[in-house]
């Protein structure tokens, strides 16, 4: 078996990855794009942050708690299967199309499937506190999505992942705008 055949076989057994397309997460993700600014400042400062400090609206908080619970369950299931099981704060998403070829006994068709691929990943620790509260804490490093980096390189693109990630840690603090 060649290395390429082995990789293809391994990828088929592993299934879809959120590193390739965020849509595989279903509802087990938390969108912080509309989070409260003071909660985001606390999180970006490296402090443990209650979910209630990020999502202040009571109705939205209930949905956020449900999503975080689903995320925590998905992470635990991945760990039990022997995977990494690490949730990440996604910084930057590339949207694009990929050729998806489907074949059956009578027809073969090619369609463009829209994917949403994360660019930068910052690991986050999620801890349940009581029945309904969750804490989030960012880990001290940031990485370029290795799937995105490999695809970009294969397409002839040049990107220095460590330099890009380092741009988010200017002046002793974390600011993702430096990398974007």
């Amino acid at each position: 078996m060649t290395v390429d055949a082995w990789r293809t076989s391994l990828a088929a057994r592993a299934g879809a990855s959120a590193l390739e397309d965020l849509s595989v997460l279903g509802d087990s993700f938390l969108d912080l794009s509309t989070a409260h600014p003071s909660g985001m400042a606390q999180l970006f400062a490296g402090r443990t942050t209650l979910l209630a400090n990020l999502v202040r609206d009571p109705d939205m908080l209930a949905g956020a708690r449900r999503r975080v619970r689903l995320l925590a369950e998905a992470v635990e299931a991945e760990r039990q299967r022997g995977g990494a099981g690490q949730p990440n704060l996604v910084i930057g998403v590339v949207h694009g199309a990929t050729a998806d070829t489907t074949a059956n006994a009578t027809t073969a068709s090619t369609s463009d499937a829209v994917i949403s691929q994360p660019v930068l990943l910052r690991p986050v620790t999620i801890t349940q506190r009581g029945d309904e509260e969750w804490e989030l804490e960012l880990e001290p490093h940031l990485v370029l999505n290795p799937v995105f980096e490999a695809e970009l390189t294969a397409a002839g693109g040049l990107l220095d992942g460590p330099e890009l990630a380092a741009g988010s840690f200017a002046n002793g603090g974390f600011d993702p705008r430096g990398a974007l």
Side-chain angles (χ1 to χ4, degrees):
M1 178 183 277
T2 67
V3 172
D4 288 339
W6 173 76
R7 272 192 197 135
T8 301
S9 171
L10 185 61
R13 286 185 295 169
S17 167
L19 295 177
E20 296 169 341
D21 185 2
L22 291 170
S23 70
V24 302
L25 295 174
D27 281 345
S28 61
F29 75 96
L30 178 64
D31 183 354
L32 294 177
S33 62
T34 60
H36 195 276
S38 66
M40 289 302 290
Q42 182 179 354
L43 185 66
F44 284 176
R47 296 193 304 269
T48 301
T49 306
L50 292 173
L51 184 59
N53 289 342
L54 293 164
V55 182
R56 300 278 174 95
D57 179 86
D59 294 331
M60 293 183 74
L61 180 57
R65 286 178 172 150
R66 181 184 65 79
R67 286 179 175 268
V68 169
R69 185 176 59 259
L70 290 171
L71 175 59
E73 290 169 359
V75 166
E76 185 56 32
E78 178 67 21
R79 284 186 183 137
Q80 289 182 8
R81 282 195 334 240
Q86 174 63 60
N88 289 284
L89 174 68
V90 172
I91 302 162
V93 177
V94 174
H95 302 281
T98 182
D100 182 25
T101 303
T102 305
N104 62 35
T106 58
T107 64
S109 66
T110 300
S111 64
D112 286 336
V114 176
I115 61 166
S116 298
Q117 195 171 60
V119 178
L120 295 169
L121 307 166
R122 183 147 183 209
V124 60
T125 300
I126 300 171
T127 308
Q128 187 169 8
R129 297 290 179 219
D131 290 337
E132 290 293 319
E133 192 52 76
W134 298 85
E135 290 178 342
L136 289 79
E137 184 174 6
L138 296 175
E139 300 295 325
H141 61 282
L142 180 72
V143 297
L144 182 62
N145 175 356
V147 173
F148 172 74
E149 183 176 23
E151 289 178 4
L152 185 65
T153 301
L158 297 175
L159 191 61
D160 184 345
E163 183 179 323
L164 183 65
S168 294
F169 292 95
N171 301 322
F174 176 67
D175 184 354
R177 292 175 295 186
L180 300 174

